[in-house]
Amino acid sequence: GAGVSQSPSNKVTEKGKDVELRCDPISGHTALYWYRQSLGQGLEFLIYFQGNSAPDKSGLPSDRFSAERTGGSVSTLTIQRTQQEDSAVYLCASRPQVGVAYEQYFGPGTRLTVT
Amino acid sequence: AQSVTQLDSHVSVSEGTPVLLRCNYSSSYSPSLFWYVQHPNKGLQLLLKYTSAATLVKGINGFEAEFKKSETSFHLTKPSAHMSDAAEYFCVVSDLYNNNDMRFGAGTRLTVKP
């Protein structure tokens, strides 16, 4: 079946502009995660959605970052007033449900470059 | 809270020699553990997972890992490295009692020399 998809695959934007990154999880997956991966670095957790529960926003680096998940499916990560340090690959992952036996399924990522 | 430590940021091996990527975890409860691989400019792919069944877990591409509770370790091994194994490897721990329950290690970059 279809995996996790993300769009756009690449985004170049000017400093100060807003950007929206989209994630389409695997159908039926209740949990959705956003991560950021800077060049040569590990994964930095940003935000986590589980069903209808309030999202865990503890990883968002500043109030310029926000995310929503509509209808328990598609998610959009918004970065306002982008800065050069926001340049990174943004990864989305979904999971069938929360529970220790379930792995995450990752999308290919969106490479964001802020000039 | 659970956490993961990958003991080596970079491992270099010669093609045909064994691979050992080390991972230690801490968890208050019985965890599940995962290894993911990320090839250059690619997404993350699950290699294998431990979920409280057999402690020796076999994954894709000839990799395996052994869960050792007494040592709180989940090291990844492969008997013979292939050039295509060159990638970044992430160890992940999950336990039941945290809302966001996936914790990633910092990653180990594997280089395979011809």
Side-chain angles (χ1 to χ4, degrees):
Chain A
V4 178
S5 62
Q6 292 185 246
S7 60
S9 55
N10 281 284
K11 176 72 176 179
V12 180
T13 190
E14 293 179 353
K15 177 182 173 181
K17 301 278 191 181
D18 298 352
V19 295
E20 287 189 349
L21 312 180
R22 177 187 168 106
C23 173
D24 282 90
I26 294 173
S27 177
H29 282 197
T30 63
L32 187 148
Y33 304 73
W34 282 98
Y35 296 90
R36 179 168 69 175
Q37 188 174 32
S38 301
L39 187 63
Q41 302 296 310
L43 269 68
E44 176 187 4
F45 164 74
L46 296 177
I47 188 169
Y48 157 68
F49 296 89
Q50 168 56 30
N52 295 321
S53 302
D56 177 353
K57 304 179 182 179
S58 61
L60 294 178
S62 77
D63 59 8
R64 297 187 295 105
F65 288 73
S66 63
E68 63 177 21
R69 188 178 185 193
T70 54
S73 181
V74 171
S75 178
T76 302
L77 177 69
T78 301
I79 309 173
Q80 296 178 310
R81 306 180 303 281
T82 52
Q83 304 295 312
Q84 288 187 330
E85 60 263 29
D86 299 334
S87 296
V89 176
Y90 289 81
L91 293 167
C92 174
S94 71
R95 208 171 172 200
Q97 54 184 299
V98 172
V100 293
Y102 299 101
E103 69 264 30
Q104 291 172 311
Y105 295 77
F106 282 84
T110 294
R111 182 176 299 277
L112 175 66
T113 303
V114 182
T115 62
Chain B
Q2 74 273 39
S3 66
V4 171
T5 302
Q6 291 185 242
L7 297 165
D8 307 291
S9 59
H10 186 210
V11 170
S12 181
V13 301
S14 296
E15 190 175 21
T17 64
V19 176
L20 170 64
L21 305 183
R22 298 182 294 166
C23 173
N24 284 96
Y25 70 92
S26 67
S27 175
S28 302
Y29 304 97
S30 296
S32 286
L33 291 148
F34 309 82
W35 276 98
Y36 283 85
V37 61
Q38 185 180 33
H39 288 94
N41 300 312
K42 300 286 187 182
L44 277 80
Q45 179 184 19
L46 181 71
L47 270 181
L48 49 81
K49 65 179 182 181
Y50 165 76
T51 58
S52 78
T55 56
L56 182 61
V57 182
K58 294 187 183 299
I60 62 172
N61 301 334
F63 284 94
E64 62 183 39
E66 186 171 7
F67 174 72
K68 292 186 176 180
K69 187 173 182 178
S70 61
E71 298 177 9
T72 61
S73 69
F74 190 58
H75 302 333
L76 182 70
T77 61
K78 182 173 180 177
S80 176
H82 191 273
M83 296 297 291
S84 62
D85 294 328
E88 188 87 16
Y89 292 79
F90 294 96
C91 183
V92 185
V93 66
S94 171
D95 75 32
L96 187 59
Y97 294 95
N98 287 280
N99 214 16
N100 165 29
D101 59 356
M102 304 293 283
R103 290 285 183 268
F104 279 76
T108 298
R109 180 166 299 277
L110 177 65
T111 300
V112 182
K113 298 174 291 186

